[in-house]
Amino acid sequence: MVKNEWGNSIYPLVPGHEIVGEVTEIGCKVQKFKVGDRVGVGCMVGSCHSCDNCINNLENYCPKMIFTYGTKYYDGAVTHGGYSNTMVVDEHFVVSIPENLPLDATVPLLCAGITVYSPLRFYGLNKPGLRVGVVGLGGLGHLAVKFAKAMGTNVTVISTSPSKQKEALENLGADSFLVSRDQDQLQAAIGTLDGIIDTVSAQHPLLPLLGLLKSHGKLVILGIPGKPFELQVFRLIQGRKLIGGSMIGGMKETQEMINFAAEHNIKTDIEVIAMDYVNTAMDRLLKGDVKYRFVIDIGNTLMPSS
C-alpha cells in the first residue's frame, strides 16, 4: 500500500491495521467498552450491517467493507490507520483484549492471527489428530503452526529453507518439516496431509502441494502472489481435492480467536521498534530480516526512553 503496488492507494497514507491500546474516551451511545479497557482494532472499521454477510457475522466479506486505512469512510473522509497517536472507531469493530495477553505480542493476531485461525475452523482442519501442513514460516506461518498445534492437530511445516527446520520443530513445536525443493522428501510425503494452509505470497507451484494431500484434502491459499497460479485440474479431480481461500474473519470470530489465544497462551514472536525506525524496518522486511513481526511502539510505552 505504501508503494501503491496494488494500484489503489490514496495519499497521504497512514498505514496500520493491527492496533492495540487503551480506550481514552467513549461516545454517549457506547455500551461494550469503558475508558481504560484494553482493546484492539484489526483490518476493518466499517460495513453495511445489512447484507447477508454482515447478518451472518462475516463483515470481512461485506461488499461495502471499509478498511482501517486508505479507504473512504461513510462521511467521505479517508480512513487513517494505526501509525498515529489516536484513532476513533465504531465499537462494533473493536475487540476486547484479555488481561493475560501482552498487548505488544497480541497486536499481530488482529490480522495475521485471524487470517490463519478462520480457515482452520471453516475448512474443518481444527480437529485433533488431523495432519495439517503449513507452507511458509513467516508472520502468518508461525502463527498457523501455533494455532493448529493448540487445536490438537499434527503439523508439518513446508519451507524452501532447510535452515528453518530447527526453529519449526524445537521453538514452534511442529511435528515434522519438509524442504519443498527436496524431491525425495516430497515423494516420501505424498498423500499424507488432510489439509494445507499456504501462507506464501511469492510465486510458487501448487502441484507439489496438491500431491501431499490425501483424497478429499484441502489446500487453503492465504498469500497473494503478483501473478496468477497455474493449475492442472486433473490433480484436483483425482482425489476430489479442494483449493480454497480465506480473508481475515468477522468481528465475532475475531473475538473468539483472541479468547482462544488467551486460553492457550498463543503470542506472536515480535520485535518492538520505535516510530522513527519504521523506514529501516520496511527495508529489513523486504529482505526477510524479521522474526516474525515488527510492532511499532507508537506511544513509547513499551521501551525505556533513551
Side-chain angles (χ1 to χ4, degrees):
M1 290 292 287
V2 169
K3 296 181 177 181
N4 196 28
E5 290 179 349
W6 287 334
N8 60 355
S9 298
I10 304 172
Y11 299 101
L13 186 75
V14 181
H17 63 264
E18 298 170 324
I19 310 155
V20 294
E22 292 185 355
V23 177
T24 57
E25 189 176 347
I26 60 173
C28 62
K29 295 182 180 179
V30 171
Q31 297 180 334
K32 291 169 56 180
F33 302 100
K34 63 182 184 303
V35 172
D37 282 354
R38 306 163 87 244
V39 297
V41 178
C43 298
M44 55 186 169
V45 293
S47 69
C48 77
H49 298 287
S50 60
C51 68
D52 285 346
N53 285 321
C54 286
I55 291 169
N56 288 295
N57 300 305
L58 293 169
E59 302 93 338
N60 50 312
Y61 297 126
C62 172
K64 297 182 180 179
M65 189 258 280
I66 300 173
F67 286 103
T68 301
Y69 72 88
T71 309
K72 292 286 183 69
Y73 200 61
Y74 305 115
D75 60 1
V78 176
T79 55
H80 295 321
Y83 291 23
S84 49
N85 295 323
T86 61
M87 68 183 305
V88 182
V89 191
D90 179 339
E91 67 172 340
H92 181 80
F93 296 94
V94 179
V95 295
S96 177
I97 308 295
E99 287 293 332
N100 67 315
L101 285 178
L103 290 181
D104 53 358
T106 297
V107 60
L109 298 180
L110 293 166
C111 177
I114 186 61
T115 295
V116 299
Y117 177 88
S118 183
L120 283 168
R121 291 181 70 251
F122 179 80
Y123 289 99
L125 301 177
N126 60 336
K127 297 177 178 62
L130 288 183
R131 299 180 63 87
V132 176
V134 174
V135 184
L137 198 61
L140 288 177
H142 91 286
L143 284 174
V145 173
K146 292 186 178 189
F147 276 107
K149 285 298 296 179
M151 292 169 178
T153 69
N154 181 291
V155 178
T156 297
V157 170
I158 304 163
S159 174
T160 59
S161 306
S163 60
K164 292 186 176 181
Q165 179 168 348
K166 182 178 179 180
E167 169 74 8
L169 300 179
E170 297 182 12
N171 295 345
L172 297 176
D175 299 281
S176 54
F177 187 89
L178 283 177
V179 178
S180 56
R181 292 179 174 145
D182 188 319
Q183 295 305 313
D184 291 337
Q185 289 189 22
L186 291 180
Q187 190 67 30
I190 282 178
T192 60
L193 300 177
D194 296 288
I196 295 175
I197 300 294
D198 186 348
T199 71
V200 175
S201 290
Q203 201 70 26
H204 60 288
L206 297 184
L207 199 59
L209 300 179
L210 289 172
L212 297 176
L213 292 173
K214 299 177 182 178
S215 294
H216 325 299
K218 301 160 186 172
L219 171 59
V220 185
I221 296 173
L222 305 181
I224 309 175
K227 297 179 181 179
F229 283 114
E230 289 186 9
L231 179 63
Q232 292 186 17
V233 176
F234 185 73
R235 288 298 180 96
L236 281 182
I237 62 178
Q238 187 184 40
R240 196 157 58 182
K241 299 173 184 179
L242 297 176
I243 295 179
S246 188
M247 184 182 75
I248 56 174
M251 294 311 304
K252 180 181 179 182
E253 189 176 42
T254 301
Q255 186 66 66
E256 289 174 1
M257 177 273 303
I258 289 289
N259 295 344
F260 183 91
E263 180 183 351
H264 294 274
N265 195 33
I266 296 173
K267 295 174 286 198
T268 320
D269 293 1
I270 61 167
E271 179 180 336
V272 177
I273 64 171
M275 188 67 215
D276 60 9
Y277 187 78
V278 69
N279 288 330
T280 303
M282 289 284 190
D283 292 337
R284 285 179 53 192
L285 192 63
L286 289 174
K287 300 172 185 174
D289 179 23
V290 57
K291 190 178 159 185
Y292 286 99
R293 269 292 210 263
F294 286 119
V295 171
I296 306 172
D297 181 11
I298 296 289
N300 295 317
T301 57
L302 303 175
M303 297 184 293
S305 57
S306 55

